[in-house]
Amino acid sequence: MKKVSELVKFLKDPHAKKVQNYKERYQELDDLSHVAAEIGDAAAYKSLEAEMREVFFDYLTAVVVDSIYRLVPHVLIIWIISLKWPYITVPFVDWQVSILGVYLSAYLLFHAGKWLEKPIKSKLLKLGLVNFARASEVTK
């Protein structure tokens, strides 16, 4: 079960460890370059800045590859859906919309809803309109 969990984590975010290592290494080099600048060691500062550039570009590469890995499942889903339904007809106005537009709109609405969920819940709780409690908490 633990191996399955590790596999799911890897498939969800395959470059998380690399990105985190690059961030930590970059922060470490940045701190060292500040120390080198404070003590006035120009050679060490130049060396650290050159290494920082290399680490930064490695970090950017890992982020871009990670972004591509996150994008590929969405492209595959759109492709599979578009094989069956290339267009969707909007009721009442009789417009035909591409499946790409529908998918992107649904994706953006989903994430906007997740982003707005916490502020809306807190406003409703302040007004006393809704009590959000887990079923396990209510039965106790």
Side-chain angles (χ1 to χ4, degrees), residues 11-134:
L11 291 175
K12 186 177 179 185
D13 198 3
H15 294 100
K17 288 182 182 178
K18 266 189 193 178
V19 169
Q20 187 61 33
N21 288 340
Y22 286 135
K23 277 184 180 179
E24 291 170 359
R25 181 69 180 143
Y26 186 82
Q27 185 63 39
E28 178 184 326
L29 290 170
D30 189 43
D31 293 340
L32 289 174
S33 70
H34 285 298
V35 170
E38 286 176 5
I39 62 172
D41 190 356
Y45 180 78
K46 285 181 183 180
S47 173
L48 288 168
E49 288 294 317
E51 191 172 347
M52 277 177 64
R53 278 191 295 275
E54 290 176 20
V55 170
F56 181 71
F57 285 117
D58 290 341
Y59 168 75
L60 284 180
T61 303
V63 168
V64 167
V65 169
D66 193 41
S67 298
I68 290 170
Y69 279 164
R70 288 177 188 241
L71 185 65
V72 166
H74 296 285
V75 171
L76 288 175
I77 290 169
I78 291 172
W79 176 67
I80 290 170
I81 292 172
S82 69
L83 289 176
K84 179 72 174 165
W85 302 287
Y87 296 99
I88 293 179
T89 304
V90 179
F92 305 117
V93 290
D94 204 35
W95 290 343
Q96 281 195 337
V97 182
S98 169
I99 191 66
L100 177 64
V102 172
Y103 187 86
L104 288 176
S105 299
Y107 182 80
L108 291 174
L109 285 173
F110 174 75
H111 284 286
K114 282 177 62 174
W115 182 64
L116 292 173
E117 178 184 19
K118 191 173 182 179
I120 290 172
K121 276 186 180 180
S122 66
K123 296 273 186 191
L124 290 175
L125 283 173
K126 283 182 183 177
L127 294 173
L129 296 176
V130 181
N131 186 13
F132 294 104
R134 295 177 187 252

Side-chain angles (χ1 to χ4, degrees), residues 134-140:
R134 295 177 187 252
S136 60
E137 294 173 358
V138 173
T139 58
K140 288 184 180 179

